[in-house]
Amino acid sequence: MTWTNYIFKHLIPAWFYSFQRNFYMWSDLMAGDYEGYALLPGDDPYTECYEWFWASLSMDETYPKKFLDELQEIVDMIDQNKMKRG
């Protein structure tokens, strides 16, 4: 994977997806639409939405280029039957 592909096909889409999710959580928090955030019967929907929003700001869902290159090598080896599955 070239650096250009890494930036334009992995980093930028991951950043936009993260921004979008954070915006939706923020808008749910501001509009009072946080009913879907309570998973367990005893959970407070507002608190869950609030905590998920603030936690999501520090999440980093991008992978290093080296990791993705090594993963692609493993996939290629499996496709070429050089490595056994499972």
Side-chain angles (χ1 to χ4, degrees):
M1 172 184 303
T2 65
W3 278 101
T4 305
N5 282 344
Y6 175 67
I7 291 169
F8 287 102
K9 292 185 178 180
H10 175 66
L11 288 181
I12 293 175
W15 292 337
F16 276 109
Y17 181 67
S18 176
F19 296 150
Q20 178 186 22
R21 277 195 349 255
N22 291 337
F23 175 76
Y24 287 143
M25 280 188 262
W26 174 79
S27 65
D28 288 344
L29 194 58
M30 294 296 109
D33 186 24
Y34 33 75
E35 291 304 317
Y37 289 88
L39 299 177
L40 300 175
D43 289 345
D44 176 35
Y46 169 78
T47 303
E48 291 297 319
C49 182
Y50 178 85
E51 290 176 358
W52 269 105
F53 170 71
W54 285 106
S56 71
L57 292 178
S58 64
M59 288 183 186
D60 182 15
E61 297 186 10
T62 59
Y63 295 104
K65 181 182 179 303
K66 182 179 177 182
F67 171 77
L68 294 175
D69 287 338
E70 291 171 356
L71 187 62
Q72 187 61 50
E73 275 183 40
I74 292 170
V75 169
D76 291 342
M77 289 172 63
I78 291 172
D79 287 344
Q80 298 169 5
N81 293 323
K82 291 183 180 178
M83 185 181 282
K84 291 183 180 178
R85 296 178 191 205

